[in-house]
């Protein structure tokens, strides 16, 4: 087995046993990025999906096989709805993600308005999302619905997506979930890019540090340091806030709710939405 294959197999083992982070030097990271770029099938990607035929070099003077080119996304159709449906279809069998063997098989795409001004990007589907085939429909999703409602939105007039389109796998997994790894996010990133190109939202909110790191290519940045400022992804202004599940775990902490709310007030101001005095005062100290 080549050193590259050994490294990939070792990382897959770690991911399957629930490990979320690992320190890699720059060279190892570049090797892995290159593999993702090439969409190359790993040695362990066995029977879950039919094998992808490799491109064969037909030069008779050279009998060596060449690598299959990375799969290309093609959003077919006229309208945004048709283009997103075309992406969704391709996501179902997206080889760079499935070849990692650390993600489950069921693809969960996005939901909402294909012409939304606001796009929200979470990390990955969990148990409930996988079961129902929709992003943010579990407890964190209910919290997100409350936040959207307080802003004057509903799920139907924003666009809600995840940076990773498959539920990250764990050993003996039941209802437990884990965050996607940088590799898993990178494998699905072409979809988020394509979705943004189709929806063209006026701004994006990254829900939580994992999604923000995946989108912005940051490493180990706490949300506290990324929020309160505008970033940019694919030329679109992006704001970072805490993941709704953070508020579930800190439900009594009004200060944390206020921080998320201040992030959302910035988004509302940016979108030039009307903001009432009552809205401005949500979760503020009396
Ligand atoms: N958390 C996420 O980041 N995305 C979901 O779809 C559900 C929970």
């Amino acid at each position: 087995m080549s050193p590259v294959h050994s490294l990939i197999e070792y990382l897959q083992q770690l991911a399957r046993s629930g490990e979320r982070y690992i320190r890699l030097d720059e060279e190892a990271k570049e090797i892995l990025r290159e593999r993702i770029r090439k969409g190359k099938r790993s040695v362990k990607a066995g029977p879950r999906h039919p094998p992808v035929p490799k491109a064969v070099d037909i030069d008779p003077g050279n009998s060596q096989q060449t690598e299959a080119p990375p799969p290309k996304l093609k959003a077919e159709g006229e309208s945004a709805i048709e283009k997103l449906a075309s992406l969704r279809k391709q996501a179902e069998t997206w080889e760079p993600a499935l070849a990692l063997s650390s993600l489950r098989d069921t693809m969960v795409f996005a939901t909402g308005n294909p012409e939304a001004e606001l796009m929200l990007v979470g990390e990955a589907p969990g148990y409930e999302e996988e079961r129902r085939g929709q992003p943010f429909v579990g407890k964190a999703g209910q919290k997100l619905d409350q936040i959207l409602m307080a802003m004057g939105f509903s799920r139907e007039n924003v666009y809600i997506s995840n940076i990773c389109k498959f539920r990250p796998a764990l050993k003996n997994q039941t209802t437990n979930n884990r965050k996607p790894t940088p590799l898993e996010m990178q494998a699905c990133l072409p979809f988020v890019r394509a979705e943004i190109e189709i929806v063209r939202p006026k701004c994006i909110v990254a829900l939580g540090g994992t999604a923000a790191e995946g989108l912005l290519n940051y490493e180990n940045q706490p949300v506290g340091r990324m929020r309160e400022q505008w970033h940019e992804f694919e030329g679109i202004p992006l704001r970072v806030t805490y993941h709704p599940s953070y508020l579930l775990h800190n439900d009594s902490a009004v200060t944390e709710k206020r921080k998320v709310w201040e992030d959302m007030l910035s988004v509302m101001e940016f979108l030039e939405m009307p903001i009432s005095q009552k809205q401005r005062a949500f979760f503020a100290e009396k």
Side-chain angles (χ1 to χ4, degrees), residues 31 38 42 44 59 69 91 119-121 123 167 172-173 177 188 219 246 263 280:
I31 289 171
K38 287 181 178 162
S42 86
K44 279 288 283 177
D59 174 2
M119 173 167 175
L120 302 113
V121 183
E123 46 198 36
R167 182 176 168 214
N172 304 324
Q173 194 165 21
N177 302 314
C188 293
E219 254 177 89
Y246 173 74
D263 296 333
R280 284 204 186 275

Side-chain angles (χ1 to χ4, degrees), residues 88 106-113 119-145 148 155-156 158-167 192 195 207 243-244:
R88 177 190 293 258
T106 308
M107 194 281 301
V108 178
F109 205 64
T111 188
N113 181 351
M119 173 167 175
L120 302 113
V121 183
E123 46 198 36
Y127 168 78
E128 200 54 35
E129 287 75 24
E130 185 186 60
R131 195 176 73 79
R132 292 172 53 186
Q134 285 223 26
F136 280 102
V137 287
K139 289 218 168 74
Q142 286 161 18
K143 186 52 85 185
L144 179 60
D145 288 348
L148 291 173
R155 283 172 83 87
E156 287 69 43
V158 298
Y159 186 84
I160 303 174
S161 193
N162 276 315
I163 187 163
C164 180
K165 307 296 189 205
F166 300 83
R167 182 176 168 214
V192 180
E195 288 169 270
L207 297 167
H243 193 280

